Amino acid sequence: MTSTLPSSSPWPDSNSFVAPHMSENSPQALESDDRSSLSDLSDISSAITAATADNAEHRAETSVTSPAAAATTPTTVQNINPNPTSISLPVDSSTPNILYLSFNQDHGCFAAGTDRGFRIYNCDPLREIFRRDFAGNANGGGGICVVQMLFRCNILALVGGGPEPQYPLNKVMIWDDHQSRCIGELSFRSEVKSVRLRRDRIVVVLAQKIFVYNFADLKLLHQIETVANPKGLCEVSQVSGSMVLVCPGLQKGQVRVEHYASKRTKFIMAHDSRIVCFALTNDGRLLATASSKGTLVRVFNTLDGSLVQEVRRGADRAEIYSLAFSSTAQWLAVSSDKGTVHVFNLKVDSAALGVDRPRGASESNATSPSAVSHLSFIRGVLPKYFSSEWSVAQFRLQEGLQHIVAFGHQKNTVVILGMDGSFYRCEFDAAAGGEMTLLEHHSFLKPEENF
């Protein structure tokens, strides 16, 4: 594994570098909870100050090799120019194939990686902010299988993928959209499965190892060994100054929790079977997990590893595609291959966790229908299934198609993205529960005038 800042890199010297924590003096910086559609911006708002030409000329190429890779030379990869000379719209008008979907950290935007490049969208209102299509240039096929945003700033992490990848599969490219070019890269000896970003950290996930880097200088800070992790499962908290990282442990069904502020590591045996999905609250205090069975979702306190709540998606096996907490940790959303998005009511002791819930939340917790099976009066007599906590609200989708879910910024709304380019915004009744109401449905890959 190597990390490189090219000799032409615009990253300034350390004494003038502005790390991606949003400088208060930057007129273009946006707060992390900004809800604007960014319609007045040509790209994502600035978070990193570009270097002057003089600074770029004097920066020497640097390379750092991890202890794990020091004994051998990194694998040779295909020679693909990370900075294509031309970026243009594709000549054909056909719809691209989606390779990757992800929300940004506050769920106000989402990114789509395609077989041609990537696109960034605002959620509310739905609007394509910008796109970068690489297809057709001589240096790569254009395919992007990972796009990670950093809130709404101009820095993104890209990984090539698909039938014709734009970049090697073993590299993380740091893309500065102000310059429409890559300003740094991280290279590994095996395929990159996923990337997670904070304002001060870059986390790269491989099949059985995780690397944590300092964002400002790409210095390697930590390495973590994991069980086989083909999906690249990993989440990080977003509260500044107290990073929490969760990832698979070294056993099937185990989750590892790293508390970097207190330098503590916690292992949680979450399930008997393999973990396929999890979610972390932005403050890192709550963790939701789902296993390959897909019937139960468990919520844990990351501080002590205790089980806070267990909810049931259904009785038959399912593949869980995504889990998402609401901003107040009052609700948990789940999507699966069964074609139903479920919303569960969480009965977490918010005072103990320091979560500020809206007034009236405790009342809705106690009275929400469907939260507990109607047969719970025979708890202990019949199997646990009959006393399970069930979802409060549901929304039906096409079965078998992969969807990811997040809570919208409007009260009691859910945003759902499909790998076919579908966008749904739904509203659920916190008191009555039941089927959600569809507020809007679009195909976000089509021209903007269609939505």
Side-chain angles (χ1 to χ4, degrees):
M1 171 276 304
T2 60
S3 60
T4 304
L5 294 177
S7 57
S8 59
S9 168
W11 294 60
D13 295 330
S14 58
N15 59 354
S16 61
F17 179 78
V18 179
H21 58 266
M22 301 290 191
S23 167
E24 295 179 357
N25 297 323
S26 173
Q28 294 177 314
L30 292 179
E31 295 299 325
S32 62
D33 59 351
D34 179 70
R35 304 292 188 257
S36 71
S37 66
L38 304 186
S39 58
D40 58 335
L41 299 181
S42 60
D43 50 20
I44 308 177
S45 64
S46 177
I48 295 182
T49 303
T52 63
D54 289 340
N55 285 337
E57 287 178 2
H58 293 294
R59 174 171 288 280
E61 179 171 296
T62 61
S63 178
V64 179
T65 302
S66 72
T72 60
T73 303
T75 304
T76 302
V77 297
Q78 53 186 307
N79 184 20
I80 296 178
N81 185 352
N83 299 306
T85 55
S86 63
I87 300 175
S88 59
L89 294 177
V91 293
D92 64 272
S93 58
S94 61
T95 303
N97 295 316
I98 297 177
L99 304 177
Y100 181 85
L101 284 174
S102 68
F103 289 96
N104 74 336
Q105 289 83 352
D106 68 355
H107 301 160
C109 297
F110 68 91
T114 75
D115 56 358
R116 299 176 187 170
F118 66 91
R119 303 181 183 189
I120 305 296
Y121 297 85
N122 190 76
C123 287
D124 189 12
L126 176 61
R127 176 189 291 270
E128 181 181 306
I129 303 176
F130 68 88
R131 69 174 70 179
R132 299 292 177 254
D133 287 336
F134 305 122
N137 78 76
N139 299 309
I144 299 293
C145 74
V146 173
V147 188
Q148 275 292 308
M149 300 179 66
L150 180 61
F151 289 95
R152 293 171 179 261
C153 82
N154 56 295
I155 300 299
L156 300 96
L158 306 177
V159 179
E164 299 182 38
Q166 175 64 21
Y167 305 115
L169 308 188
N170 67 331
K171 287 189 176 185
V172 177
M173 312 304 294
I174 310 301
W175 177 272
D176 182 353
D177 204 74
H178 279 167
Q179 305 179 59
S180 291
R181 66 188 298 271
C182 293
I183 59 173
E185 65 182 52
L186 296 165
S187 299
F188 304 88
R189 294 187 298 163
S190 61
E191 182 179 334
V192 175
K193 297 299 183 180
S194 68
V195 182
R196 294 292 180 264
L197 299 181
R198 280 171 49 101
R199 291 189 173 106
D200 56 353
R201 298 289 184 267
I202 300 176
V203 180
V204 181
V205 185
L206 308 184
Q208 290 186 290
K209 187 171 288 189
I210 294 176
F211 297 92
V212 181
Y213 295 89
N214 186 45
F215 212 142
D217 54 11
L218 302 186
K219 179 182 178 181
L220 179 63
L221 302 177
H222 192 201
Q223 297 183 50
I224 301 172
E225 300 281 347
T226 71
V227 71
N229 186 15
K231 291 189 173 184
L233 300 180
C234 182
E235 296 296 338
V236 294
S237 64
Q238 296 299 327
V239 175
S240 61
S242 57
M243 175 173 165
V244 178
L245 180 150
V246 295
C247 64
L250 290 172
Q251 303 177 41
K252 180 179 65 175
Q254 184 186 69
V255 178
R256 175 173 180 157
V257 183
E258 291 288 340
H259 294 273
Y260 285 92
S262 59
K263 298 181 180 180
R264 292 191 305 121
T265 301
K266 186 74 179 178
F267 290 95
I268 302 172
M269 282 306 303
H271 299 270
D272 294 330
S273 51
R274 178 174 51 90
I275 294 175
V276 298
C277 192
F278 48 58
L280 187 68
T281 54
N282 271 347
D283 61 8
R285 294 176 185 237
L286 290 178
L287 166 70
T289 65
S291 74
S292 56
K293 290 183 179 179
T295 54
L296 297 173
V297 176
R298 291 175 175 142
V299 180
F300 297 91
N301 182 333
T302 62
L303 295 175
D304 59 14
S306 61
L307 178 63
V308 175
Q309 191 170 346
E310 180 181 274
V311 297
R312 180 173 290 276
R313 180 212 55 82
D316 52 343
R317 297 179 73 99
E319 181 179 357
I320 302 298
Y321 289 140
S322 73
L323 301 169
F325 286 99
S326 66
S327 59
T328 60
Q330 180 182 353
W331 308 102
L332 177 71
V334 180
S335 66
S336 74
D337 65 347
K338 294 300 182 182
T340 302
V341 170
H342 295 270
V343 173
F344 296 91
N345 199 341
L346 297 184
K347 302 174 179 62
V348 177
D349 185 354
S350 56
L353 292 173
V355 177
D356 184 18
R357 284 190 173 179
R359 187 173 299 176
S362 59
E363 287 80 6
S364 66
N365 279 351
T367 60
S368 292
S370 306
V372 180
S373 167
H374 295 297
L375 298 179
S376 60
F377 66 91
I378 52 177
R379 184 192 306 268
V381 179
L382 291 179
K384 189 177 181 180
Y385 172 89
F386 294 102
S387 60
S388 298
E389 296 186 46
W390 298 82
S391 59
V392 171
Q394 309 82 33
F395 185 76
R396 314 294 172 178
L397 297 160
Q398 178 182 337
E399 189 170 340
L401 181 65
Q402 186 170 352
H403 294 85
I404 64 171
V405 62
F407 286 91
H409 290 151
Q410 299 177 35
K411 185 178 180 181
N412 297 341
T413 60
V414 172
V415 175
I416 306 166
L417 307 177
M419 289 296 286
D420 62 346
S422 56
F423 174 97
Y424 302 87
R425 190 192 315 280
C426 310
E427 183 177 27
F428 62 92
D429 189 322
E435 293 292 326
M436 297 188 222
T437 301
L438 178 62
L439 301 179
E440 55 180 311
H441 173 217
H442 306 286
S443 176
F444 60 78
L445 292 177
K446 292 182 178 180
E448 188 171 334
E449 55 265 28
N450 288 319
F451 53 82

